[in-house]
């Protein structure tokens, strides 16, 4: 059943569902950066990640969505934290898009709309952690980084994407 669901979901369209999609396809200049920051929820526990590390936020967003598609519903809490970093209006749009594109069902939709319980325990998943860590360093989603690369994973992600684009021509 899981394989059938993966077949029905066009994974290439997932990046279009990201609230940062237009940012990654922009010049990423100061105006684009200000516009990106306008969609942030200043009260979020994940605000720092969204404001200061958008590349990591995007990789986490894409990776967690894929984990959910592959049946790992324990990843919903991670998505909930990421979505909390968005303004209410943008969060509603992303949730609606995920529902319309059948990435999540109505039960997941209801769960993601709930307030985050930061005290609740989550199940540790070493394999998921390794997959996401690898994605952060290798940029498998082809995120275009045009601003200054500060962190080592931004530099390696940029390099992997550059090499992938160079050899695919």
């Amino acid at each position: 059943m899981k394989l059938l669901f993966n077949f029905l979901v066009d994974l290439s369209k997932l990046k279009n569902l990201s609230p940062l999609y237009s940012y990654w396809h922009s010049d990423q200049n100061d105006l684009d950066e200000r516009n990106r920051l306008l969609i942030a929820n200043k009260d979020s526990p994940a605000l720092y990640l969204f404001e200061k590390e958008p590349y990591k936020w995007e990789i986490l967003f894409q990776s967690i969505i894929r984990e959910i598609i592959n049946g790992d519903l324990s990843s919903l809490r991670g998505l909930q934290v990421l979505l909390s970093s968005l303004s209410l209006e943008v969060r509603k749009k992303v949730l609606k898009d995920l529902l319309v594109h059948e990435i999540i069902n109505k039960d997941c939709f209801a769960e993601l709309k709930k307030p985050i319980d930061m005290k609740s325990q989550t199940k540790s998943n070493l394999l998921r952690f390794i997959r996401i860590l690898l994605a952060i360093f290798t940029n498998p989603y082809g995120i275009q980084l045009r601003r200054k690369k500060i962190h080592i994973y931004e530099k390696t992600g940029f390099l992997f994407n550059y090499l992938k684009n160079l050899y695919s021509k």
Side-chain angles (χ1 to χ4, degrees):
M1 183 67 173
K2 191 172 25 171
L3 264 175
L4 177 63
F5 186 66
N6 284 343
F7 178 75
L8 295 175
V9 176
D10 184 355
L11 296 176
S12 68
K13 293 183 181 179
L14 286 180
K15 62 184 171 189
N16 300 352
L17 300 178
S18 169
L20 296 181
Y21 179 79
S22 61
Y23 175 74
W24 299 123
H25 291 86
S26 71
D27 293 333
Q28 297 174 22
N29 58 32
D30 290 342
L31 177 62
D32 296 325
E33 183 71 7
R34 276 194 297 274
N35 288 335
R36 179 184 70 79
L37 294 173
L38 285 175
I39 67 170
N41 172 10
K42 302 298 181 195
D43 298 324
S44 170
L47 179 63
Y48 180 85
L49 183 65
F50 186 82
E51 283 187 335
K52 305 294 183 193
E53 301 184 60
Y55 168 76
K56 188 189 288 185
W57 188 98
E58 180 70 26
I59 293 287
L60 287 168
F61 180 80
Q62 294 285 334
S63 295
I64 288 172
I65 296 288
R66 282 170 171 75
E67 293 291 325
I68 292 168
I69 288 170
N70 288 326
D72 181 5
L73 296 183
S74 66
S75 294
L76 283 173
R77 185 162 182 260
L79 182 57
Q80 191 179 32
V81 170
L82 289 176
L83 292 176
S84 78
S85 66
L86 302 171
S87 69
L88 186 57
E89 179 183 307
V90 173
R91 187 178 333 147
K92 284 180 180 178
K93 182 191 179 313
V94 172
L95 281 171
K96 180 182 173 206
D97 288 347
L98 291 172
L99 187 61
V100 167
H101 287 87
E102 299 178 340
I103 305 299
I104 59 173
N105 61 27
K106 290 181 181 184
D107 292 336
C108 294
F109 180 79
E111 189 67 31
L112 289 168
K113 285 179 67 174
K114 292 180 183 176
I116 301 170
D117 180 9
M118 294 304 283
K119 296 175 187 169
S120 71
Q121 294 287 327
T122 57
K123 186 174 78 171
S124 178
N125 184 328
L126 182 61
L127 201 54
R128 175 180 59 207
F129 172 77
I130 291 170
R131 279 192 303 266
I132 291 174
L133 188 62
L134 186 62
I136 289 170
F137 281 91
T138 61
N139 190 6
Y141 311 126
I143 298 167
Q144 298 293 322
L145 292 160
R146 294 184 177 92
R147 291 184 74 83
K148 183 178 179 186
K149 290 105 188 119
I150 298 169
H151 303 17
I152 186 71
Y153 56 81
E154 291 171 328
K155 294 173 184 177
T156 61
F158 173 81
L159 180 63
F160 272 87
N161 196 49
Y162 174 79
L163 291 173
K164 181 176 75 173
N165 290 335
L166 186 68
Y167 289 108
S168 68
K169 290 181 180 179

